[in-house]
Amino acid sequence: MAMIETGLAKSDGADIYFERRGDGPALLLISGGGGDAGVYTFLADVLAADYTVLTYDRRGNSRSPLHGPPTTLRPEEQSADAVAVLDANGFDAALAFGSSAGAVIGFDLVARHPSRVVGLVAHEAPVLRILPEAAELLAFHDELDALLEKDQVMEAYIRFMEHAGLGSTARTGGDADTSEADAGAVPVLGPEIAELVARMQANIEFFMRYEMRAISSFVPDYEALRAARVPMAIAGGLDTGDAYYNRTGKVVADELGIEFVELAGDHLGYGSDPVGFARGIKPIFDRLAAAQPST
């Protein structure tokens, strides 16, 4: 394991817990639904051999307390939090990777703060509105909202996970981006993994009530992404198949005329095969860094 430094970044409306590993160019890993830095523990340990890896708990999740009552996820707040993490660690810009909702936040970070991003790899962003069957997918989210209105949070969560093809992780408190499947990737489950699972379970209601719908309703700002001139690649999982959150990436890649690549594993491949995932993603980061536009 790489040595970890921790701290709190001050953002508007929240204190953002972060972890820092390694040395070298800055690499920011943005977590998805459930918003906990721990989902990238194994991937960050591998990548710390080549980068200064920054991970963080997204606002309202785990160890990143809000200053007031919870509100619906706003992409502009999320990207401002990412900038706050960079500022707290003394970096003007970083490579960035986001999976699932983290990829959504990555798109917004590039659109709003292009000077802070060296390059972005967006992995399986669930941007439903760009798919042909968007109406059907969003109608399913209406059903989930109805369950939430009845305070049937766990029922809504389990249905969401099963619909996403991740039902085996739902019963233990994973989310759309982490689960005991991540924990099962290591031979010995230490106390830090038990703590992660407990934190993720505690984040479920926040995810369902304040993040899920905002994520599914997001549409990339293609004009702003083009204008940003930030090198980007879209990634899917070798084992993800035809899941909607994989097909969305292909639509975005086609729209922007950028690279679509496949990485080890499925939606949770960064946890189930962190070594293989890192082996696949490092050459992509190298290409993105080399493609930085001249000023």
Side-chain angles (χ1 to χ4, degrees):
M1 289 183 61
M3 183 176 296
I4 302 174
E5 300 175 30
T6 66
L8 285 178
K10 300 297 182 180
S11 194
D12 186 15
D15 296 328
I16 309 300
Y17 169 89
F18 66 82
E19 297 180 350
R20 175 173 177 155
R21 296 168 170 83
D23 192 17
L27 171 59
L28 182 70
L29 305 183
I30 308 171
S31 57
D36 193 295
V39 304
Y40 291 134
T41 292
F42 310 123
L43 180 63
D45 281 345
V46 176
L47 291 172
D50 297 291
Y51 304 96
T52 300
V53 183
L54 304 174
T55 59
Y56 64 102
D57 296 352
R58 289 195 294 98
R59 65 168 56 213
N61 290 283
S62 298
R63 298 154 292 190
S64 291
L66 297 169
H67 295 167
T71 57
T72 299
L73 178 149
R74 293 170 54 206
E76 62 268 29
E77 288 181 329
Q78 300 285 325
S79 52
D81 293 345
V83 169
V85 172
L86 295 182
D87 288 343
N89 285 277
F91 290 110
D92 292 331
L95 289 162
F97 168 81
S99 184
S100 198
V104 166
I105 294 163
F107 289 141
D108 194 78
L109 178 63
V110 168
R112 295 181 191 275
H113 306 280
S115 67
R116 309 305 299 268
V117 188
V118 174
L120 170 69
V121 178
H123 180 253
E124 300 196 351
V127 284
L128 310 184
R129 289 186 179 274
I130 66 175
L131 293 176
E133 71 273 30
E136 177 184 344
L137 290 167
L138 293 169
F140 171 73
H141 281 262
D142 290 339
E143 296 174 15
L144 299 181
D145 286 341
L147 290 172
L148 294 173
E149 289 176 5
K150 299 175 184 176
D151 290 327
Q152 296 177 354
V153 176
M154 284 307 299
E155 176 63 25
Y157 171 73
I158 290 169
R159 287 194 60 188
F160 167 76
M161 293 292 283
E162 290 175 343
H163 183 264
L166 300 167
S168 63
T169 72
R171 307 282 171 176
T172 56
D175 70 298
D177 301 278
T178 190
S179 68
E180 69 171 356
D182 295 302
V186 294
V188 178
L189 303 187
E192 69 278 6
I193 302 305
E195 292 171 7
L196 169 62
V197 171
R199 291 196 305 267
M200 297 303 299
Q201 289 174 333
N203 291 342
I204 287 173
E205 183 164 5
F206 186 84
F207 169 68
M208 294 301 297
R209 290 194 183 279
Y210 301 108
E211 295 191 343
M212 178 190 64
R213 191 66 183 227
I215 293 163
S216 64
S217 297
F218 180 86
V219 176
D221 186 338
Y222 293 125
E223 183 176 349
L225 291 173
R226 292 189 187 97
R229 300 182 66 212
V230 172
M232 293 185 290
I234 308 298
L238 279 166
D239 301 326
T240 302
D242 201 42
Y244 64 85
Y245 40 80
N246 199 21
R247 288 184 287 112
T248 54
K250 295 173 183 177
V251 173
V252 175
D254 287 345
E255 178 67 31
L256 294 175
I258 60 177
E259 182 180 20
F260 181 87
V261 298
E262 291 186 312
L263 297 171
D266 55 15
H267 198 59
L268 307 169
Y270 53 80
S272 60
D273 184 6
V275 174
F277 201 92
R279 186 183 301 117
I281 204 170
K282 188 178 182 303
I284 303 169
F285 288 143
D286 291 343
R287 290 198 296 273
L288 296 180
Q292 271 282 294
S294 58
T295 57

